[in-house]
Amino acid sequence: MKVGPADPRAPGPAALLSQSHALMQAMFSAKENHFLDHAALCAPHIRFVAATDGDMTLGTGAIALRDGYAEVKSMFTAPEARGRGVADAILRHLIALAVLEGCPLLRLETGRGLDAAHRLYARHGFTPCGPFGDYEDNGASLFFERLP
């Protein structure tokens, strides 16, 4: 498995992002969804990565470079690749990338009920925090940060 820069519009990553967006739309209302669409993931302040095995895309993730921190976005693992360490590898890569970009403080917003994701973030040193940036406490979101 390799983790590295990818184009969110390429077929493999785009398909996984569409699956992720569909899941989030099924679980949360429109105002509770904060995912970035495929085009937004191409912005200059976004670093988008994918985990691949040959020509198969196993998972995706990104960081958005913000003022003083990096925000983890678009974490998703293909259902058939779960349990293989894909999300761990992507998150390790994103943490290292944020440090290289000069943003050792990482933050993220996620939804209630995404317990496997919450456990992943805790394993990587993320702890609960309050809303940040433009987020509001809407009752559906949980916020985490990983201090340098």
Side-chain angles (χ1 to χ4, degrees), residues 26-61:
M27 292 182 69
F28 305 104
S29 72
K31 69 179 185 174
E32 295 168 339
N33 269 299
H34 304 287
F35 59 78
L36 299 176
D37 65 26
H38 300 59
L41 288 167
C42 296
H45 70 287
I46 303 291
R47 306 294 181 264
F48 182 84
V49 302
T52 58
D53 185 1
D55 61 353
M56 291 183 53
T57 304
L58 306 175
T60 63

PDB file of all heavy atoms in Angstrom, residues 26-61:
ATOM      1  N   ALA A  26     -26.717  10.640   4.213  1.00  0.00           N
ATOM      2  CA  ALA A  26     -27.681   9.718   4.799  1.00  0.00           C
ATOM      3  C   ALA A  26     -27.721   9.843   6.325  1.00  0.00           C
ATOM      4  O   ALA A  26     -28.764   9.625   6.943  1.00  0.00           O
ATOM      5  CB  ALA A  26     -27.350   8.280   4.405  1.00  0.00           C
ATOM      6  N   MET A  27     -26.589  10.216   6.916  1.00  0.00           N
ATOM      7  CA  MET A  27     -26.494  10.277   8.378  1.00  0.00           C
ATOM      8  C   MET A  27     -26.831  11.642   8.966  1.00  0.00           C
ATOM      9  O   MET A  27     -27.282  11.717  10.107  1.00  0.00           O
ATOM     10  CB  MET A  27     -25.084   9.888   8.830  1.00  0.00           C
ATOM     11  CG  MET A  27     -24.738   8.437   8.596  1.00  0.00           C
ATOM     12  SD  MET A  27     -23.081   8.022   9.200  1.00  0.00           S
ATOM     13  CE  MET A  27     -23.320   8.150  10.978  1.00  0.00           C
ATOM     14  N   PHE A  28     -26.577  12.708   8.200  1.00  0.00           N
ATOM     15  CA  PHE A  28     -26.689  14.054   8.752  1.00  0.00           C
ATOM     16  C   PHE A  28     -27.468  14.969   7.816  1.00  0.00           C
ATOM     17  O   PHE A  28     -27.478  14.764   6.603  1.00  0.00           O
ATOM     18  CB  PHE A  28     -25.288  14.646   8.997  1.00  0.00           C
ATOM     19  CG  PHE A  28     -24.418  13.781   9.857  1.00  0.00           C
ATOM     20  CD1 PHE A  28     -23.402  13.023   9.293  1.00  0.00           C
ATOM     21  CD2 PHE A  28     -24.620  13.699  11.224  1.00  0.00           C
ATOM     22  CE1 PHE A  28     -22.597  12.201  10.080  1.00  0.00           C
ATOM     23  CE2 PHE A  28     -23.829  12.881  12.020  1.00  0.00           C
ATOM     24  CZ  PHE A  28     -22.812  12.128  11.444  1.00  0.00           C
ATOM     25  N   SER A  29     -28.065  16.000   8.382  1.00  0.00           N
ATOM     26  CA  SER A  29     -28.796  16.975   7.569  1.00  0.00           C
ATOM     27  C   SER A  29     -27.805  17.813   6.758  1.00  0.00           C
ATOM     28  O   SER A  29     -26.606  17.832   7.047  1.00  0.00           O
ATOM     29  CB  SER A  29     -29.636  17.892   8.459  1.00  0.00           C
ATOM     30  OG  SER A  29     -28.791  18.791   9.156  1.00  0.00           O
ATOM     31  N   ALA A  30     -28.319  18.522   5.782  1.00  0.00           N
ATOM     32  CA  ALA A  30     -27.462  19.352   4.927  1.00  0.00           C
ATOM     33  C   ALA A  30     -26.663  20.370   5.740  1.00  0.00           C
ATOM     34  O   ALA A  30     -25.478  20.591   5.476  1.00  0.00           O
ATOM     35  CB  ALA A  30     -28.304  20.058   3.867  1.00  0.00           C
ATOM     36  N   LYS A  31     -27.279  20.982   6.747  1.00  0.00           N
ATOM     37  CA  LYS A  31     -26.551  21.986   7.535  1.00  0.00           C
ATOM     38  C   LYS A  31     -25.550  21.358   8.504  1.00  0.00           C
ATOM     39  O   LYS A  31     -24.695  22.050   9.042  1.00  0.00           O
ATOM     40  CB  LYS A  31     -27.518  22.917   8.268  1.00  0.00           C
ATOM     41  CG  LYS A  31     -28.296  22.279   9.384  1.00  0.00           C
ATOM     42  CD  LYS A  31     -29.198  23.300  10.054  1.00  0.00           C
ATOM     43  CE  LYS A  31     -29.875  22.668  11.264  1.00  0.00           C
ATOM     44  NZ  LYS A  31     -30.630  23.631  12.016  1.00  0.00           N
ATOM     45  N   GLU A  32     -25.633  20.051   8.698  1.00  0.00           N
ATOM     46  CA  GLU A  32     -24.690  19.347   9.565  1.00  0.00           C
ATOM     47  C   GLU A  32     -23.534  18.734   8.777  1.00  0.00           C
ATOM     48  O   GLU A  32     -22.630  18.151   9.362  1.00  0.00           O
ATOM     49  CB  GLU A  32     -25.411  18.244  10.350  1.00  0.00           C
ATOM     50  CG  GLU A  32     -26.440  18.777  11.313  1.00  0.00           C
ATOM     51  CD  GLU A  32     -27.360  17.710  11.873  1.00  0.00           C
ATOM     52  OE1 GLU A  32     -27.499  16.621  11.266  1.00  0.00           O
ATOM     53  OE2 GLU A  32     -27.969  17.967  12.925  1.00  0.00           O
ATOM     54  N   ASN A  33     -23.568  18.834   7.449  1.00  0.00           N
ATOM     55  CA  ASN A  33     -22.519  18.284   6.600  1.00  0.00           C
ATOM     56  C   ASN A  33     -21.517  19.368   6.240  1.00  0.00           C
ATOM     57  O   ASN A  33     -21.894  20.446   5.796  1.00  0.00           O
ATOM     58  CB  ASN A  33     -23.125  17.685   5.317  1.00  0.00           C
ATOM     59  CG  ASN A  33     -23.444  16.233   5.496  1.00  0.00           C
ATOM     60  OD1 ASN A  33     -22.563  15.426   5.749  1.00  0.00           O
ATOM     61  ND2 ASN A  33     -24.708  15.886   5.365  1.00  0.00           N
ATOM     62  N   HIS A  34     -20.244  19.025   6.420  1.00  0.00           N
ATOM     63  CA  HIS A  34     -19.185  19.999   6.171  1.00  0.00           C
ATOM     64  C   HIS A  34     -18.113  19.434   5.238  1.00  0.00           C
ATOM     65  O   HIS A  34     -16.967  19.875   5.276  1.00  0.00           O
ATOM     66  CB  HIS A  34     -18.553  20.437   7.496  1.00  0.00           C
ATOM     67  CG  HIS A  34     -19.542  20.981   8.466  1.00  0.00           C
ATOM     68  ND1 HIS A  34     -20.138  22.214   8.315  1.00  0.00           N
ATOM     69  CD2 HIS A  34     -20.064  20.443   9.594  1.00  0.00           C
ATOM     70  CE1 HIS A  34     -20.977  22.414   9.311  1.00  0.00           C
ATOM     71  NE2 HIS A  34     -20.958  21.351  10.099  1.00  0.00           N
ATOM     72  N   PHE A  35     -18.478  18.449   4.416  1.00  0.00           N
ATOM     73  CA  PHE A  35     -17.479  17.879   3.519  1.00  0.00           C
ATOM     74  C   PHE A  35     -17.198  18.827   2.360  1.00  0.00           C
ATOM     75  O   PHE A  35     -18.021  19.669   2.011  1.00  0.00           O
ATOM     76  CB  PHE A  35     -17.898  16.495   3.014  1.00  0.00           C
ATOM     77  CG  PHE A  35     -19.202  16.438   2.267  1.00  0.00           C
ATOM     78  CD1 PHE A  35     -19.287  16.854   0.938  1.00  0.00           C
ATOM     79  CD2 PHE A  35     -20.346  15.935   2.875  1.00  0.00           C
ATOM     80  CE1 PHE A  35     -20.484  16.774   0.246  1.00  0.00           C
ATOM     81  CE2 PHE A  35     -21.552  15.850   2.189  1.00  0.00           C
ATOM     82  CZ  PHE A  35     -21.612  16.277   0.866  1.00  0.00           C
ATOM     83  N   LEU A  36     -16.012  18.700   1.811  1.00  0.00           N
ATOM     84  CA  LEU A  36     -15.611  19.489   0.655  1.00  0.00           C
ATOM     85  C   LEU A  36     -15.917  18.693  -0.608  1.00  0.00           C
ATOM     86  O   LEU A  36     -15.630  17.500  -0.673  1.00  0.00           O
ATOM     87  CB  LEU A  36     -14.116  19.801   0.715  1.00  0.00           C
ATOM     88  CG  LEU A  36     -13.640  20.618   1.915  1.00  0.00           C
ATOM     89  CD1 LEU A  36     -12.124  20.766   1.898  1.00  0.00           C
ATOM     90  CD2 LEU A  36     -14.314  21.979   1.955  1.00  0.00           C
ATOM     91  N   ASP A  37     -16.488  19.353  -1.619  1.00  0.00           N
ATOM     92  CA  ASP A  37     -16.754  18.644  -2.867  1.00  0.00           C
ATOM     93  C   ASP A  37     -15.446  18.436  -3.628  1.00  0.00           C
ATOM     94  O   ASP A  37     -14.390  18.949  -3.250  1.00  0.00           O
ATOM     95  CB  ASP A  37     -17.823  19.353  -3.702  1.00  0.00           C
ATOM     96  CG  ASP A  37     -17.407  20.725  -4.198  1.00  0.00           C
ATOM     97  OD1 ASP A  37     -16.196  20.992  -4.352  1.00  0.00           O
ATOM     98  OD2 ASP A  37     -18.309  21.546  -4.453  1.00  0.00           O
ATOM     99  N   HIS A  38     -15.531  17.679  -4.716  1.00  0.00           N
ATOM    100  CA  HIS A  38     -14.347  17.304  -5.486  1.00  0.00           C
ATOM    101  C   HIS A  38     -13.560  18.538  -5.938  1.00  0.00           C
ATOM    102  O   HIS A  38     -12.329  18.573  -5.841  1.00  0.00           O
ATOM    103  CB  HIS A  38     -14.748  16.470  -6.701  1.00  0.00           C
ATOM    104  CG  HIS A  38     -15.451  15.190  -6.373  1.00  0.00           C
ATOM    105  ND1 HIS A  38     -16.630  15.136  -5.670  1.00  0.00           N
ATOM    106  CD2 HIS A  38     -15.146  13.919  -6.669  1.00  0.00           C
ATOM    107  CE1 HIS A  38     -17.018  13.886  -5.538  1.00  0.00           C
ATOM    108  NE2 HIS A  38     -16.128  13.115  -6.150  1.00  0.00           N
ATOM    109  N   ALA A  39     -14.246  19.561  -6.418  1.00  0.00           N
ATOM    110  CA  ALA A  39     -13.564  20.771  -6.900  1.00  0.00           C
ATOM    111  C   ALA A  39     -12.879  21.511  -5.752  1.00  0.00           C
ATOM    112  O   ALA A  39     -11.745  21.985  -5.900  1.00  0.00           O
ATOM    113  CB  ALA A  39     -14.551  21.688  -7.618  1.00  0.00           C
ATOM    114  N   ALA A  40     -13.537  21.618  -4.604  1.00  0.00           N
ATOM    115  CA  ALA A  40     -12.954  22.314  -3.458  1.00  0.00           C
ATOM    116  C   ALA A  40     -11.682  21.623  -2.973  1.00  0.00           C
ATOM    117  O   ALA A  40     -10.775  22.281  -2.454  1.00  0.00           O
ATOM    118  CB  ALA A  40     -13.966  22.420  -2.326  1.00  0.00           C
ATOM    119  N   LEU A  41     -11.603  20.321  -3.160  1.00  0.00           N
ATOM    120  CA  LEU A  41     -10.416  19.579  -2.743  1.00  0.00           C
ATOM    121  C   LEU A  41      -9.212  19.830  -3.654  1.00  0.00           C
ATOM    122  O   LEU A  41      -8.121  19.343  -3.385  1.00  0.00           O
ATOM    123  CB  LEU A  41     -10.732  18.079  -2.670  1.00  0.00           C
ATOM    124  CG  LEU A  41     -11.629  17.692  -1.495  1.00  0.00           C
ATOM    125  CD1 LEU A  41     -12.164  16.280  -1.668  1.00  0.00           C
ATOM    126  CD2 LEU A  41     -10.870  17.828  -0.175  1.00  0.00           C
ATOM    127  N   CYS A  42      -9.416  20.598  -4.713  1.00  0.00           N
ATOM    128  CA  CYS A  42      -8.328  20.970  -5.625  1.00  0.00           C
ATOM    129  C   CYS A  42      -7.775  22.362  -5.331  1.00  0.00           C
ATOM    130  O   CYS A  42      -6.863  22.820  -6.025  1.00  0.00           O
ATOM    131  CB  CYS A  42      -8.818  20.921  -7.080  1.00  0.00           C
ATOM    132  SG  CYS A  42      -9.289  19.268  -7.610  1.00  0.00           S
ATOM    133  N   ALA A  43      -8.302  23.024  -4.325  1.00  0.00           N
ATOM    134  CA  ALA A  43      -7.867  24.389  -3.994  1.00  0.00           C
ATOM    135  C   ALA A  43      -6.400  24.402  -3.575  1.00  0.00           C
ATOM    136  O   ALA A  43      -5.880  23.393  -3.066  1.00  0.00           O
ATOM    137  CB  ALA A  43      -8.747  24.952  -2.883  1.00  0.00           C
ATOM    138  N   PRO A  44      -5.726  25.525  -3.757  1.00  0.00           N
ATOM    139  CA  PRO A  44      -4.295  25.605  -3.443  1.00  0.00           C
ATOM    140  C   PRO A  44      -3.935  25.319  -1.985  1.00  0.00           C
ATOM    141  O   PRO A  44      -2.829  24.864  -1.709  1.00  0.00           O
ATOM    142  CB  PRO A  44      -3.922  27.050  -3.803  1.00  0.00           C
ATOM    143  CG  PRO A  44      -4.993  27.529  -4.708  1.00  0.00           C
ATOM    144  CD  PRO A  44      -6.233  26.756  -4.369  1.00  0.00           C
ATOM    145  N   HIS A  45      -4.849  25.562  -1.057  1.00  0.00           N
ATOM    146  CA  HIS A  45      -4.545  25.337   0.360  1.00  0.00           C
ATOM    147  C   HIS A  45      -4.901  23.924   0.836  1.00  0.00           C
ATOM    148  O   HIS A  45      -4.779  23.620   2.021  1.00  0.00           O
ATOM    149  CB  HIS A  45      -5.259  26.379   1.233  1.00  0.00           C
ATOM    150  CG  HIS A  45      -6.744  26.199   1.291  1.00  0.00           C
ATOM    151  ND1 HIS A  45      -7.567  26.498   0.233  1.00  0.00           N
ATOM    152  CD2 HIS A  45      -7.541  25.726   2.279  1.00  0.00           C
ATOM    153  CE1 HIS A  45      -8.823  26.218   0.573  1.00  0.00           C
ATOM    154  NE2 HIS A  45      -8.827  25.749   1.808  1.00  0.00           N
ATOM    155  N   ILE A  46      -5.297  23.056  -0.082  1.00  0.00           N
ATOM    156  CA  ILE A  46      -5.666  21.678   0.246  1.00  0.00           C
ATOM    157  C   ILE A  46      -4.559  20.737  -0.197  1.00  0.00           C
ATOM    158  O   ILE A  46      -4.015  20.869  -1.295  1.00  0.00           O
ATOM    159  CB  ILE A  46      -6.987  21.268  -0.459  1.00  0.00           C
ATOM    160  CG1 ILE A  46      -8.134  22.212  -0.090  1.00  0.00           C
ATOM    161  CG2 ILE A  46      -7.327  19.804  -0.149  1.00  0.00           C
ATOM    162  CD1 ILE A  46      -8.614  22.124   1.331  1.00  0.00           C
ATOM    163  N   ARG A  47      -4.239  19.777   0.651  1.00  0.00           N
ATOM    164  CA  ARG A  47      -3.312  18.700   0.304  1.00  0.00           C
ATOM    165  C   ARG A  47      -4.110  17.410   0.357  1.00  0.00           C
ATOM    166  O   ARG A  47      -4.451  16.924   1.436  1.00  0.00           O
ATOM    167  CB  ARG A  47      -2.123  18.644   1.261  1.00  0.00           C
ATOM    168  CG  ARG A  47      -1.353  19.952   1.411  1.00  0.00           C
ATOM    169  CD  ARG A  47      -0.659  20.364   0.119  1.00  0.00           C
ATOM    170  NE  ARG A  47       0.093  21.603   0.291  1.00  0.00           N
ATOM    171  CZ  ARG A  47      -0.359  22.816  -0.019  1.00  0.00           C
ATOM    172  NH1 ARG A  47      -1.581  22.977  -0.506  1.00  0.00           N
ATOM    173  NH2 ARG A  47       0.403  23.879   0.154  1.00  0.00           N
ATOM    174  N   PHE A  48      -4.441  16.858  -0.802  1.00  0.00           N
ATOM    175  CA  PHE A  48      -5.281  15.668  -0.914  1.00  0.00           C
ATOM    176  C   PHE A  48      -4.399  14.454  -1.192  1.00  0.00           C
ATOM    177  O   PHE A  48      -3.512  14.513  -2.040  1.00  0.00           O
ATOM    178  CB  PHE A  48      -6.300  15.849  -2.043  1.00  0.00           C
ATOM    179  CG  PHE A  48      -7.235  14.686  -2.206  1.00  0.00           C
ATOM    180  CD1 PHE A  48      -8.376  14.596  -1.423  1.00  0.00           C
ATOM    181  CD2 PHE A  48      -6.969  13.687  -3.125  1.00  0.00           C
ATOM    182  CE1 PHE A  48      -9.241  13.511  -1.565  1.00  0.00           C
ATOM    183  CE2 PHE A  48      -7.825  12.602  -3.273  1.00  0.00           C
ATOM    184  CZ  PHE A  48      -8.962  12.522  -2.486  1.00  0.00           C
ATOM    185  N   VAL A  49      -4.660  13.358  -0.477  1.00  0.00           N
ATOM    186  CA  VAL A  49      -3.894  12.131  -0.660  1.00  0.00           C
ATOM    187  C   VAL A  49      -4.836  10.943  -0.808  1.00  0.00           C
ATOM    188  O   VAL A  49      -6.002  10.989  -0.403  1.00  0.00           O
ATOM    189  CB  VAL A  49      -2.912  11.877   0.503  1.00  0.00           C
ATOM    190  CG1 VAL A  49      -1.935  13.036   0.672  1.00  0.00           C
ATOM    191  CG2 VAL A  49      -3.631  11.589   1.803  1.00  0.00           C
ATOM    192  N   ALA A  50      -4.285   9.882  -1.370  1.00  0.00           N
ATOM    193  CA  ALA A  50      -5.021   8.623  -1.484  1.00  0.00           C
ATOM    194  C   ALA A  50      -4.080   7.478  -1.132  1.00  0.00           C
ATOM    195  O   ALA A  50      -2.870   7.554  -1.365  1.00  0.00           O
ATOM    196  CB  ALA A  50      -5.575   8.440  -2.886  1.00  0.00           C
ATOM    197  N   ALA A  51      -4.655   6.441  -0.561  1.00  0.00           N
ATOM    198  CA  ALA A  51      -3.938   5.185  -0.337  1.00  0.00           C
ATOM    199  C   ALA A  51      -4.303   4.268  -1.494  1.00  0.00           C
ATOM    200  O   ALA A  51      -5.485   4.127  -1.826  1.00  0.00           O
ATOM    201  CB  ALA A  51      -4.349   4.557   0.987  1.00  0.00           C
ATOM    202  N   THR A  52      -3.290   3.682  -2.099  1.00  0.00           N
ATOM    203  CA  THR A  52      -3.524   2.806  -3.246  1.00  0.00           C
ATOM    204  C   THR A  52      -2.782   1.489  -3.074  1.00  0.00           C
ATOM    205  O   THR A  52      -1.772   1.404  -2.370  1.00  0.00           O
ATOM    206  CB  THR A  52      -3.060   3.478  -4.554  1.00  0.00           C
ATOM    207  OG1 THR A  52      -1.678   3.811  -4.443  1.00  0.00           O
ATOM    208  CG2 THR A  52      -3.870   4.739  -4.853  1.00  0.00           C
ATOM    209  N   ASP A  53      -3.299   0.491  -3.746  1.00  0.00           N
ATOM    210  CA  ASP A  53      -2.648  -0.809  -3.864  1.00  0.00           C
ATOM    211  C   ASP A  53      -2.738  -1.152  -5.338  1.00  0.00           C
ATOM    212  O   ASP A  53      -3.818  -1.508  -5.822  1.00  0.00           O
ATOM    213  CB  ASP A  53      -3.354  -1.847  -3.001  1.00  0.00           C
ATOM    214  CG  ASP A  53      -2.629  -3.183  -2.993  1.00  0.00           C
ATOM    215  OD1 ASP A  53      -1.561  -3.299  -3.642  1.00  0.00           O
ATOM    216  OD2 ASP A  53      -3.129  -4.123  -2.348  1.00  0.00           O
ATOM    217  N   GLY A  54      -1.638  -0.950  -6.054  1.00  0.00           N
ATOM    218  CA  GLY A  54      -1.685  -1.080  -7.509  1.00  0.00           C
ATOM    219  C   GLY A  54      -2.575   0.017  -8.060  1.00  0.00           C
ATOM    220  O   GLY A  54      -2.396   1.188  -7.747  1.00  0.00           O
ATOM    221  N   ASP A  55      -3.568  -0.373  -8.848  1.00  0.00           N
ATOM    222  CA  ASP A  55      -4.475   0.641  -9.409  1.00  0.00           C
ATOM    223  C   ASP A  55      -5.771   0.771  -8.616  1.00  0.00           C
ATOM    224  O   ASP A  55      -6.694   1.460  -9.037  1.00  0.00           O
ATOM    225  CB  ASP A  55      -4.771   0.353 -10.885  1.00  0.00           C
ATOM    226  CG  ASP A  55      -5.450  -0.986 -11.108  1.00  0.00           C
ATOM    227  OD1 ASP A  55      -5.590  -1.766 -10.142  1.00  0.00           O
ATOM    228  OD2 ASP A  55      -5.841  -1.256 -12.255  1.00  0.00           O
ATOM    229  N   MET A  56      -5.831   0.135  -7.444  1.00  0.00           N
ATOM    230  CA  MET A  56      -7.021   0.238  -6.582  1.00  0.00           C
ATOM    231  C   MET A  56      -6.840   1.364  -5.578  1.00  0.00           C
ATOM    232  O   MET A  56      -5.809   1.449  -4.907  1.00  0.00           O
ATOM    233  CB  MET A  56      -7.260  -1.057  -5.827  1.00  0.00           C
ATOM    234  CG  MET A  56      -7.695  -2.214  -6.697  1.00  0.00           C
ATOM    235  SD  MET A  56      -8.032  -3.700  -5.704  1.00  0.00           S
ATOM    236  CE  MET A  56      -9.180  -3.063  -4.508  1.00  0.00           C
ATOM    237  N   THR A  57      -7.836   2.239  -5.464  1.00  0.00           N
ATOM    238  CA  THR A  57      -7.837   3.289  -4.449  1.00  0.00           C
ATOM    239  C   THR A  57      -8.518   2.734  -3.211  1.00  0.00           C
ATOM    240  O   THR A  57      -9.680   2.330  -3.256  1.00  0.00           O
ATOM    241  CB  THR A  57      -8.563   4.546  -4.951  1.00  0.00           C
ATOM    242  OG1 THR A  57      -7.942   4.982  -6.167  1.00  0.00           O
ATOM    243  CG2 THR A  57      -8.497   5.663  -3.924  1.00  0.00           C
ATOM    244  N   LEU A  58      -7.773   2.707  -2.113  1.00  0.00           N
ATOM    245  CA  LEU A  58      -8.263   2.116  -0.866  1.00  0.00           C
ATOM    246  C   LEU A  58      -8.861   3.142   0.088  1.00  0.00           C
ATOM    247  O   LEU A  58      -9.711   2.800   0.908  1.00  0.00           O
ATOM    248  CB  LEU A  58      -7.125   1.381  -0.156  1.00  0.00           C
ATOM    249  CG  LEU A  58      -6.365   0.339  -0.971  1.00  0.00           C
ATOM    250  CD1 LEU A  58      -5.200  -0.203  -0.165  1.00  0.00           C
ATOM    251  CD2 LEU A  58      -7.299  -0.769  -1.411  1.00  0.00           C
ATOM    252  N   GLY A  59      -8.374   4.377   0.016  1.00  0.00           N
ATOM    253  CA  GLY A  59      -8.852   5.394   0.941  1.00  0.00           C
ATOM    254  C   GLY A  59      -8.366   6.767   0.540  1.00  0.00           C
ATOM    255  O   GLY A  59      -7.473   6.899  -0.311  1.00  0.00           O
ATOM    256  N   THR A  60      -8.967   7.777   1.158  1.00  0.00           N
ATOM    257  CA  THR A  60      -8.618   9.162   0.872  1.00  0.00           C
ATOM    258  C   THR A  60      -8.493   9.957   2.171  1.00  0.00           C
ATOM    259  O   THR A  60      -9.014   9.556   3.217  1.00  0.00           O
ATOM    260  CB  THR A  60      -9.684   9.852  -0.008  1.00  0.00           C
ATOM    261  OG1 THR A  60     -10.920   9.882   0.707  1.00  0.00           O
ATOM    262  CG2 THR A  60      -9.870   9.136  -1.334  1.00  0.00           C
ATOM    263  N   GLY A  61      -7.845  11.085   2.066  1.00  0.00           N
ATOM    264  CA  GLY A  61      -7.747  12.023   3.175  1.00  0.00           C
ATOM    265  C   GLY A  61      -7.154  13.319   2.669  1.00  0.00           C
ATOM    266  O   GLY A  61      -6.570  13.367   1.579  1.00  0.00           O
TER     267      GLY A  61
END
